[in-house]
């Protein structure tokens, strides 16, 4: 994945696991939005990590959950 944003140096690399809801919080941060509006989102804003700050152990050891509901059984052909 390629990311461009404020504070990210060209050719920098971030090799940690992220999940889609991390990007929601990241975009809100970059847009100077209020992160408290998203207090129920389990993600982590990434701007400081993408800018080169070392991830905390809490970030590195967090569990990532994926939920993909299978609604195909509800479709009647």
């Amino acid at each position: 994945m390629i990311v461009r944003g404020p504070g990210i140096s060209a050719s920098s690399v971030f090799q940690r696991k992220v999940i889609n809801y991390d990007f929601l919080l990241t975009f809100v941060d970059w847009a100077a939005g209020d992160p408290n509006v998203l207090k129920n989102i389990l993600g982590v804003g990434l701007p400081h990590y993408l800018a080169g700050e070392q991830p905390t152990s809490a970030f590195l050891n967090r569990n990532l959950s994926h939920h993909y509901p299978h609604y195909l059984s509800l479709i009647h052909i």
Side-chain angles (χ1 to χ4, degrees):
M1 179 180 76
I2 298 172
V3 177
R4 181 177 180 201
I8 301 175
S9 300
S11 73
S12 62
V13 176
F14 181 69
Q15 296 184 349
R16 302 296 181 196
K17 295 177 184 172
V18 297
I19 195 163
N20 58 352
Y21 41 80
D22 291 338
F23 292 108
L24 175 60
L25 294 167
T26 301
F27 298 150
V28 167
D29 184 289
W30 282 343
D34 181 7
N36 293 321
V37 174
L38 303 170
K39 62 184 171 196
N40 293 328
I41 302 294
L42 298 174
V44 174
L46 302 173
H48 47 287
Y49 297 138
L50 295 174
E53 184 178 312
Q54 291 300 312
T56 63
S57 62
F59 178 85
L60 296 174
N61 297 317
R62 68 187 179 140
N63 293 320
L64 300 180
S65 325
H66 297 273
H67 173 67
Y68 183 78
H70 296 280
Y71 296 119
L72 294 177
S73 62
L74 299 176
I75 299 172
H76 300 288
I77 299 176

